[in-house]
């Protein structure tokens, strides 16, 4: 269960990052849906973190039901895993609170027609989100194999960047497909804007993801003398294969459908989003395998 919960946290964190990336590229009719989606992603992340913590405490202590909460408290106070996941829970709760406060400030500014000096700007909201994303990515990195070298190690930092790069690629893809009203209600110009934003995010995210993934693989497999001693290498191979397929699908959109969108071909919208749906499913598989990797035994 822990690998699935780890993957769910990565997926929801990626979605939260994707929501931030796609905010300024969304159509006006999508803004309310985008805000609701952001809240749901954060509430889902908070729930996944709590279950991850409670299940981890149970696996460590296997307590009877009356002692279960005591085991959770002991895990948070006396283990690096518990402290890190507990900090993640606190960060996510604070992010939800910050979003609520900014939304209230924005509503108040609208009602008072500017007499309060204005609501928090979009740039301020992006800054707040960036701070929480960085902190949560580092906490996620510190609950996996990177934490074996210390919670403040270079390995944890590299893996945190790896998590953010994965979110920069995958998150916008999922957010675009989850937005309501759907892409069928968008104009061709709006589709082009979102397609360009997806392409730019992937252009940054994929190279960083590959580089940090190679560093992670070297760290975990370099000291191993028997690579086939666990299932780790096979899971990693599956993840790399799915990543390659997702990259091919992304390039299909970038080199074939996006030029047709730019030329004003309305039929290209269906082709572009059809490929995007397949890419989203493949990326979901990548994230599930990544969650399994983080909890799998390393080769000897």
């Amino acid at each position: 269960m822990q690998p699935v919960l780890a993957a769910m946290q990565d997926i929801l964190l990626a979605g939260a990052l994707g929501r931030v990336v796609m905010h300024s590229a969304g159509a006006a009719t999508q803004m309310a849906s985008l805000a609701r989606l952001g809240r749901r992603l954060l509430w889902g992340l908070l729930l996944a973190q709590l279950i991850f913590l409670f299940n981890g405490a149970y696996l460590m202590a296997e307590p009877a039901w009356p002692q279960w909460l005591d085991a959770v408290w002991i895990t948070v106070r006396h283990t690096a895993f518990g402290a890190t996941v507990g900090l993640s829970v606190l960060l996510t709760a604070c992010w939800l609170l910050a979003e609520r406060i900014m939304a209230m400030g924005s509503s108040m500014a609208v009602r008072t027609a500017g007499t309060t000096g204005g609501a928090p700007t979009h740039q301020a909201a992006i800054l707040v989100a960036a701070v929480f994303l960085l902190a949560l990515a580092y906490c996620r990195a510190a609950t996996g194999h990177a934490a074996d070298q210390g919670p403040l190690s270079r390995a944890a930092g590299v893996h945190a960047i790896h998590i953010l790069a994965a979110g920069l690629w995958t998150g916008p893809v999922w957010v675009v497909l989850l937005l309501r009203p759907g892409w069928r209600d968008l104009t061709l110009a709006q589709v082009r804007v979102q397609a360009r934003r997806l392409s730019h995010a992937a252009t940054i995210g994929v190279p960083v993801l590959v580089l940090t993934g190679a560093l992670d693989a070297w760290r975990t497999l370099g000291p191993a003398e028997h690579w086939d001693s666990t299932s780790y290498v096979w899971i990693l191979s599956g993840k790399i294969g799915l990543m390659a397929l997702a990259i091919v699908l992304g390039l299909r959109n970038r080199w074939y459908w996006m030029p047709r969108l730019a030329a004003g071909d309305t039929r290209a919208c269906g082709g572009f989003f059809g490929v995007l749906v397949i890419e989203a499913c493949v990326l979901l598989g990548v994230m599930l395998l990544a969650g399994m990797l983080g909890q799998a035994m390393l080769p000897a």
Side-chain angles (χ1 to χ4, degrees), residues 250-277:
L251 291 176
R252 168 70 173 176
N253 266 345
R254 178 66 183 86
W255 290 340
Y256 183 75
W257 289 117
M258 284 185 63
R260 295 182 65 175
L261 284 172
D265 185 355
T266 56
R267 294 173 298 177
C269 293
F272 178 86
F273 281 101
V275 174
L276 200 66
V277 169

Side-chain angles (χ1 to χ4, degrees), residues 15-105:
L17 175 54
R19 189 263 302 217
V20 174
V21 171
M22 295 305 300
H23 185 275
S24 59
T29 54
Q30 294 175 315
M31 289 299 100
S33 296
L34 190 60
R36 285 195 299 270
L37 177 60
R39 290 192 297 269
R40 289 169 182 171
L41 287 168
L42 289 180
W43 278 113
L45 178 60
L46 182 62
L47 180 60
Q49 290 166 340
L50 287 170
I51 299 175
F52 189 60
L53 174 60
F54 292 166
N55 191 60
Y58 176 80
L59 293 174
M60 289 179 184
E62 295 189 358
W65 173 249
Q67 290 80 40
W68 191 40
L69 291 179
D70 289 338
V72 172
W73 178 241
I74 292 171
T75 301
V76 171
R77 290 188 60 190
H78 299 291
T79 68
F81 166 82
T84 303
V85 181
L87 179 59
S88 297
V89 170
L90 179 61
L91 286 169
T92 304
C94 289
W95 192 357
L96 279 164
L97 179 61
E99 294 245 330
R100 179 61 178 168
I101 292 172
M102 286 189 289
M104 290 174 61

Side-chain angles (χ1 to χ4, degrees), residues 185-198:
D185 300 311
L186 300 180
T187 66
L188 185 60
Q190 291 168 336
V191 172
R192 283 199 295 263
V193 170
Q194 295 193 4
R196 285 197 297 269
R197 182 61 57 85
L198 288 171

Side-chain angles (χ1 to χ4, degrees), residues 147-254:
D148 295 342
Q149 299 187 19
L152 299 178
S153 63
R154 181 181 302 175
V158 169
H159 193 59
I161 297 173
H162 185 73
I163 291 171
L164 289 171
L168 187 60
W169 179 20
T170 61
V173 172
W174 294 329
V175 166
V176 165
L177 295 177
L178 290 172
L179 282 179
R180 296 292 185 272
W183 58 267
R184 296 181 188 277
D185 300 311
L186 300 180
T187 66
L188 185 60
Q190 291 168 336
V191 172
R192 283 199 295 263
V193 170
Q194 295 193 4
R196 285 197 297 269
R197 182 61 57 85
L198 288 171
S199 180
H200 292 162
T203 300
I204 298 171
V206 172
V208 176
L209 182 67
V210 171
L211 175 60
T212 53
L215 293 174
D216 276 347
W218 176 258
R219 172 178 53 81
T220 55
L221 298 179
E225 296 182 0
H226 305 285
W227 286 15
D228 58 349
S229 60
T230 69
S231 60
Y232 186 91
V233 174
W234 299 109
I235 298 172
L236 178 61
S237 299
K239 177 188 172 185
I240 292 173
L242 288 180
M243 277 185 58
L245 176 58
I247 290 173
V248 170
L249 291 168
L251 291 176
R252 168 70 173 176
N253 266 345
R254 178 66 183 86

